Amino acid sequence: MEQQYKIGLIDDEEHVLELLAVEISMLPGFEVGFATVDPLVGLEYARDGMADILITDILMPELGGLELSRKLIDSGIPVIICSGHSKYALSGYKVDALGFLTKPPESVELAEVLEKAKKKLDSLYWVRKEMEDNYNVVGDKLGYRQQVYKPSEILYMEQLNKKSTVKLEDGSEFVLTSPFLESLKKLRNRYMVRVHQSYAVNILKVKNLYPEECELVSGDRIAMSRSYKEDVRRIFENRRIN
């Protein structure tokens, strides 16, 4: 079955949304993911994964299409500008818009620009798949510094004063400013096991177990508290060779 690409539609004119929805319904491989006259709602829908491709007007109350496009510039969602003002076409390219449609959009032009967006998404699919499966990124949202790491490279996490410090095999570390369990969830590593009120370890990196601590392959010794150490021992129990 051919993959269906979801199209998000944002325009403060209802009849334009209806027209676009009808045109898209007749194109194989595409469907409307959402349609809204509220750009702020549309932005949240797009961020929540309700659209693979976005078509947006430029002049709208509260949030214009160009600013909306800037907010999605790192999302990987191709943005298509649809406006009755052709003078804004050049501005669209400044925010990496994939194309420009004039209102009312012609069927052929709509089909062409959606095919262009589809090709862009297809070319990035396997790259994104690899990244989603094997890599995480931490850093500030402004992009001044971002660190790429593999979840499998994590040794352990230590919680102190509402900050979680995550240690990696190469000796580097990064900090998550969130409670322990929330930080653990962010790491997306199913092998992270809590061994202490303040520590979680990557169970695949455990080299030796001692009465009150576990030794990792890096040589780090992490304290195990009474509340958690029996759980850790049970994990290894069925692998013991007597």
Side-chain angles (χ1 to χ4, degrees), residues 30-49:
F30 299 100
E31 63 183 359
V32 176
F34 70 84
T36 179
V37 296
D38 189 329
L40 294 175
V41 171
L43 176 62
E44 290 307 308
Y45 284 165
R47 285 174 168 170
D48 288 343

Side-chain angles (χ1 to χ4, degrees), residues 1 6 18 21 30 44-45 67 92 102 147:
M1 182 177 178
K6 297 177 293 184
E18 293 172 0
F30 299 100
E44 290 307 308
Y45 284 165
E67 182 59 27
T102 56
Q147 181 176 349

Side-chain angles (χ1 to χ4, degrees), residues 179-201:
F180 190 99
L181 293 179
E182 185 178 336
S183 295
L184 208 55
K185 184 177 179 181
K186 288 178 181 179
L187 294 180
R188 296 196 312 169
N189 185 335
R190 59 183 177 146
Y191 297 110
M192 293 298 293
V193 175
R194 194 168 193 170
V195 298
H196 188 278
Q197 190 67 23
S198 302
Y199 291 98
V201 302

Side-chain angles (χ1 to χ4, degrees), residues 92-144:
Y93 291 105
K94 293 181 180 179
V95 292
D96 283 357
L98 187 69
F100 184 91
L101 295 170
T102 56
K103 289 184 184 179
E106 295 185 5
S107 301
V108 173
E109 291 181 348
L110 176 62
E112 287 177 348
V113 76
L114 287 179
E115 283 297 325
K116 182 179 179 182
K118 177 182 175 181
K119 288 179 181 178
K120 180 178 180 180
L121 288 172
D122 286 346
S123 68
L124 295 174
Y125 175 79
W126 292 112
V127 174
R128 285 203 314 272
K129 180 69 174 172
E130 178 72 13
M131 289 293 289
E132 289 170 359
D133 289 348
N134 297 295
Y135 295 89
N136 285 340
V137 179
V138 290
D140 59 86
K141 293 183 179 179
L142 294 177
Y144 294 123

Side-chain angles (χ1 to χ4, degrees), residues 66 69-70 72-74 77-81 90-99 120:
L66 294 179
S69 298
R70 288 190 187 94
L72 292 172
I73 206 164
D74 293 325
I77 300 174
V79 176
I80 299 164
I81 301 295
L90 182 60
S91 300
Y93 291 105
K94 293 181 180 179
V95 292
D96 283 357
L98 187 69
K120 180 178 180 180

